[in-house]
């Protein structure tokens, strides 16, 4: 699921889009931010649907084999036990999943060869042959073959990778979150009664997390010029064009958390943005951001500007 670091990245992406856009309508960018979170859930639903498509293709494959010019005895009596897979059966009856399929208009008709190519890989794998011969299947063994389809067939497919990258702009960034959501789904689907199996949630507490990202975005925009000047005073020896835009945005977001988020410890804020900088900015950004934030933090503490409460005490 999306943790606070992932959510900070979503805000960073929204701020970057805001500063790059001629449209400075905050509400529109705020809407785009929330949609970017919802898009993670949509991507999750599309992936579950693709897993189901791959399994369902077993029936198409069986028909093709029966209709071959010279079908073998095995072609005429194909093994279709995967169509009764408990995970897939439960998923197909899950009302939340069915509602999301409808909401996002999920259909793989635009890429008809994808399920076929993925099933072919599955069909030729020793893991699938072992699954077909296994007896006494349980919900766990049924989940094991679905995990194999997801991890070793779909995620290893260049075609599937390209399809998701084309459809979801933040696929490279959100891919890890998707894997966590699918893993959570496997954990949740542990009952033979489909009504007891739940989909994963995109965040731990959406009410709190929504407030967090909207507030972080709004405050970063509202205090942009003020915090730009604050950063400028500490980077006078640097030519402005030499400072990466991502570095500046990350520092402004950190200052917003220092000043406006009373329950987030200062050290947590600094560590989070240093980690994000490793992935989204330059190789030298980490030490640069750390140095500038240390100087700004020293002044903010001296001015008694930072007010932390409870577990968020400054020195924690």
């Amino acid at each position: 699921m999306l943790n606070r670091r992932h959510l900070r990245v979503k805000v960073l992406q929204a701020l970057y889009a805001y500063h790059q856009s001629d449209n400075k309508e905050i509400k529109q960018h705020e809407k785009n931010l929330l949609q970017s979170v919802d898009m993670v859930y949509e991507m999750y639903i599309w992936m579950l649907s693709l897993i189901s498509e791959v399994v369902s293709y077993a029936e198409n494959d069986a028909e093709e084999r029966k209709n071959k010019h010279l079908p073998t005895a095995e072609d005429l009596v194909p093994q279709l036990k995967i169509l009764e897979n408990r995970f897939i059966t439960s998923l197909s009856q899950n009302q939340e999943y069915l509602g999301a399929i409808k909401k996002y208009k999920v259909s793989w008709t635009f890429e008809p060869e994808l399920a076929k190519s993925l099933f072919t890989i599955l069909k030729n794998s020793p893991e699938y042959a072992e699954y077909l011969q296994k007896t006494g299947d349980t919900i766990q063994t049924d989940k094991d073959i679905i995990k194999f389809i997801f991890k070793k067939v779909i995620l290893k497919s260049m075609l599937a990778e390209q399809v998701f990258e084309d459809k979801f702009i933040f696929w490279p960034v959100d891919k890890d979150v998707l894997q966590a959501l699918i893993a959570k789904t496997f954990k949740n689907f542990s009952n033979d009664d489909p009504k007891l199996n739940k989909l994963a949630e995109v965040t731990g507490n959406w009410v709190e997390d929504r407030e967090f990202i909207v507030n972080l975005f709004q405050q970063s925009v509202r205090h942009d010029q003020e915090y730009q000047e604050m950063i400028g005073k500490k980077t006078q020896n640097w030519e402005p064009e030499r400072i990466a835009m991502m570095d500046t945005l990350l520092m402004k977001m950190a200052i917003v958390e220092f000043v406006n988020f009373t329950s987030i410890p200062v050290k947590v804020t600094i560590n989070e943005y240093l980690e994000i900088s490793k992935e989204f900015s330059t190789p030298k950004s980490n030490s640069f951001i750390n140095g500038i934030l240390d100087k700004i933090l020293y002044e903010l503490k001296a001015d008694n500007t930072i007010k932390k409460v409870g577990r968020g005490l400054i020195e924690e």
Side-chain angles (χ1 to χ4, degrees), residues 248-262:
T248 303
L249 291 176
L250 289 169
M251 287 188 285
K252 289 175 181 176
M253 290 171 68
I255 298 170
V256 167
E257 288 194 26
F258 289 163
V259 177
N260 296 283
F261 289 77
T262 59

Side-chain angles (χ1 to χ4, degrees), residues 14-30:
L15 286 170
Y16 183 83
Y18 172 82
H19 286 286
Q20 293 293 96
S21 173
D22 292 330
N23 176 13
K24 300 302 181 185
E25 176 55 52
I26 294 180
K27 285 299 180 182
Q28 181 58 52
H29 288 278
E30 193 177 297

Side-chain angles (χ1 to χ4, degrees), residues 18 46 83 89-90 94 119 140 149 151 156 160 296:
Y18 172 82
W46 275 87
L83 295 178
T89 300
S90 183
N94 185 284
F119 182 79
Q140 186 57 51
I149 293 172
K151 293 181 179 179
K156 298 291 184 182
I296 291 173

Side-chain angles (χ1 to χ4, degrees), residues 169-182:
I169 186 173
F170 296 125
W171 164 258
V173 177
D174 293 337
K175 187 177 177 180
D176 289 344
V177 180
L178 170 70
Q179 293 186 61
L181 289 171
I182 296 291

